[in-house]
Amino acid sequence: MNVDLTDEQRMIQAVAREFAEKDVRPIAAAIDREARFPRETVRRMGELGLLGIAIPEAQGGSGGDALACALAVEEIARVCASHAVIMSVNNSLYCDPVHRFGTVAQQERFLTPFASGQKLGCFSLTEPEAGSDARNQSTLARRDGGDYVLDGRKIFVTNGREADAVLVFAQTDRARRHRGISAFLVEKGTPGFTVVKTEEKLGIRASDTAELLFEGCRIPASHRLGAEGDGFAIAMQTLDGGRIGIAAQAVGIAAGAYECSVAYARERKSFGVPIGQHQMVQWMLADMAVSIEAARMLTWRAAWLKERGAAWGAAAAMAKLFAAETAMKVATDAVQVHGGYGFLADYPVERYFRDAKITQIYEGTSQIQKLVIARRLLEAGSAA
Ligand code: COS
């Protein structure tokens, strides 16, 4: 893997960093406290080309690649994990599958306005009884002439209330179990599709996590993404890509918490010296730096493999697992370095600590990543 970034990757990284510092940092604490979806800055991310980074320019994107996307997500997450997930979901869980599996007509309607940031997309797989066990889908899509009629309830949908369209998974043939799952694109405002709830959360509070209800929701058959029965494979491949985004988000959260800790260790004094001169604090900072760098390299490697068209699922799972565990550990130690102040909402490490937790859970828990990795090792009979 070449770790020298291309000019284009550096440019997207710089754009994301400047936006994060200038536009997001001043509002990050307030939108978290108020659990307020940041519409203005999300619109700005679209204008800057950050919502369709790896989508070709002809389809409204920035023409970048998976690594550029990861770099941008990391930069945004260093400052605000909520913005990072809003962006990652639109890039990886919505635009990427519509680009990979959509027809030309579907891409015109469901990709171009979303990659260019005029509209926002979301991905809806999880149900009350289908979380880690994603195969256990209950939502039904019944064929009726030239239409499908959807019925079911979906939960934990990032961008669910704000999105203009949802990529939703449903059973078209229950008897075939996961091979009877299909994928559909449903526009906001379609009769029978409602957002019933927005969740109150521990972290990423400015992002929108919604419950969606489909009741006799009729959509044209032309809005099915991929063939009937291909939905589960589409969902799994999409999550393989999404996990690179969450790994990048976790690296960003960890980097943000680490930077706060280094700054605090320089200025805060105890026993007559800056606390950074105490070996026990140095130890924590050194451990943070090493694990962040390792998580970043795993994330880049997964993005690099994806871009080369090589099998990247296990690499993405490794990156997501290690980066999420790193984010939680680093954020926990960052609070520790800050002592009592780290426990207060006045200091950003308190927010990083709360935001880190979800990276161990969504787009596949740490336990599911281990399952994916172990299965791949046993299949391949080799070490990754
Ligand atoms: N890409 C393409 N196809 C895949 C795939 C992948 N990464 N992973 C699995 N599949 C296919 C398999 O090839 C298999 O297909 P066939 O039956 O046609 O051969 C099918 O999907 C079922 O796979 P498997 O037997 O591995 O399914 P399991 O239910 O045992 O496990 C896990 C699947 C647990 C890995 C999956 O359900 C998962 O990732 N769960 C977590 C879901 C998640 O991340 N949710 C978060 C949603 S966003 S908040």
Side-chain angles (χ1 to χ4, degrees):
M1 175 175 79
N2 185 355
V3 292
D4 289 331
L5 300 180
T6 63
D7 289 345
E8 190 184 38
Q9 287 161 347
R10 279 183 204 286
M11 196 192 74
I12 291 175
Q13 185 183 40
V15 166
R17 178 172 283 234
E18 191 190 338
F19 163 73
E21 291 299 339
K22 211 168 107 229
D23 295 332
V24 179
R25 196 176 289 284
I27 61 169
I31 59 174
D32 168 71
R33 196 169 48 246
E34 296 158 19
R36 172 161 54 84
F37 186 88
R39 289 203 188 89
E40 269 300 294
T41 36
V42 171
R43 192 180 51 73
R44 183 82 188 117
M45 282 201 282
E47 289 166 0
L48 291 170
L50 297 175
L51 291 180
I53 293 171
I55 302 299
E57 287 176 18
Q59 281 131 322
S62 296
D65 59 14
L67 180 53
C69 194
L71 293 168
V73 171
E74 180 189 332
E75 289 300 333
I76 307 283
R78 264 181 66 243
V79 173
C80 174
S82 292
H83 276 82
V85 72
I86 294 165
M87 170 194 170
S88 187
V89 163
N90 195 71
N91 274 284
S92 309
L93 294 192
Y94 181 84
C95 289
D96 187 68
V98 179
H99 180 234
R100 269 169 196 274
F101 304 105
T103 62
V104 172
Q106 286 173 339
Q107 293 192 2
E108 272 171 22
R109 183 171 184 148
F110 288 104
L111 179 60
T112 305
F114 294 78
S116 62
Q118 290 151 34
K119 292 186 174 177
L120 194 67
C122 68
F123 172 96
S124 180
L125 176 69
T126 303
E127 299 181 356
E129 300 299 326
S132 290
D133 185 6
R135 287 204 282 182
N136 195 32
Q137 297 283 307
S138 296
T139 298
L140 292 179
R142 179 175 53 80
R143 185 82 193 225
D144 184 22
D147 297 335
Y148 284 96
V149 180
L150 272 63
D151 284 283
R153 181 180 294 270
K154 294 285 181 180
I155 59 168
F156 300 163
V157 185
T158 302
N159 294 348
R161 184 175 291 277
E162 297 290 327
D164 298 284
V166 50
L167 171 57
V168 63
F169 298 85
Q171 291 279 2
T172 40
D173 184 351
R174 205 192 266 286
R176 299 193 68 224
R177 301 159 57 93
H178 68 278
R179 291 183 185 159
I181 294 171
S182 305
F184 300 92
L185 292 157
V186 182
E187 285 164 325
K188 187 181 206 167
T190 305
F193 167 33
T194 46
V195 179
V196 287
K197 188 180 172 198
T198 304
E199 304 293 349
E200 264 288 324
K201 305 189 293 290
L202 172 73
I204 54 163
R205 287 171 49 77
S207 72
D208 145 39
T209 307
E211 180 174 329
L212 311 182
L213 188 61
F214 297 89
E215 289 175 305
C217 174
R218 183 175 288 273
I219 56 164
S222 60
H223 291 188
R224 190 190 66 229
L225 188 74
E228 257 199 16
D230 282 357
F232 192 70
I234 291 174
M236 289 297 108
Q237 274 187 45
T238 299
L239 283 168
D240 285 342
R243 287 168 187 164
I244 303 175
I246 300 308
Q249 183 200 27
V251 173
I253 293 170
Y258 161 77
E259 286 163 16
C260 292
S261 304
V262 171
Y264 193 75
R266 285 200 183 108
E267 98 203 5
R268 169 76 178 168
K269 288 196 171 136
S270 76
F271 301 99
V273 292
I275 61 168
Q277 289 189 26
H278 297 306
Q279 221 170 45
M280 277 187 277
V281 172
Q282 292 176 354
W283 190 304
M284 282 194 271
L285 296 179
D287 278 348
M288 288 181 194
V290 173
S291 49
I292 291 168
E293 199 56 50
R296 182 178 289 125
M297 286 301 109
L298 282 175
T299 305
W300 287 21
R301 177 171 171 268
W304 178 74
L305 286 171
K306 178 170 191 255
E307 215 41 59
R308 294 183 75 201
W312 82 87
M318 286 184 189
K320 202 254 182 198
L321 170 67
F322 190 78
E325 298 302 312
T326 294
M328 198 66 248
K329 172 83 170 89
V330 168
T332 304
D333 285 350
V335 171
Q336 197 68 19
V337 167
H338 284 69
Y341 290 108
F343 201 65
L344 304 183
D346 300 357
Y347 282 77
V349 287
E350 181 263 355
R351 173 165 53 88
Y352 289 113
F353 176 80
R354 287 186 287 101
D355 287 346
K357 186 62 205 171
I358 191 62
T359 66
Q360 295 177 307
I361 298 172
Y362 61 13
E363 299 197 28
T365 60
S366 289
Q367 290 70 25
I368 288 293
Q369 307 312 322
K370 288 185 186 177
L371 178 150
V372 169
I373 295 161
R375 281 185 182 176
R376 204 62 54 89
L377 297 182
L378 293 167
E379 273 165 26
S382 72

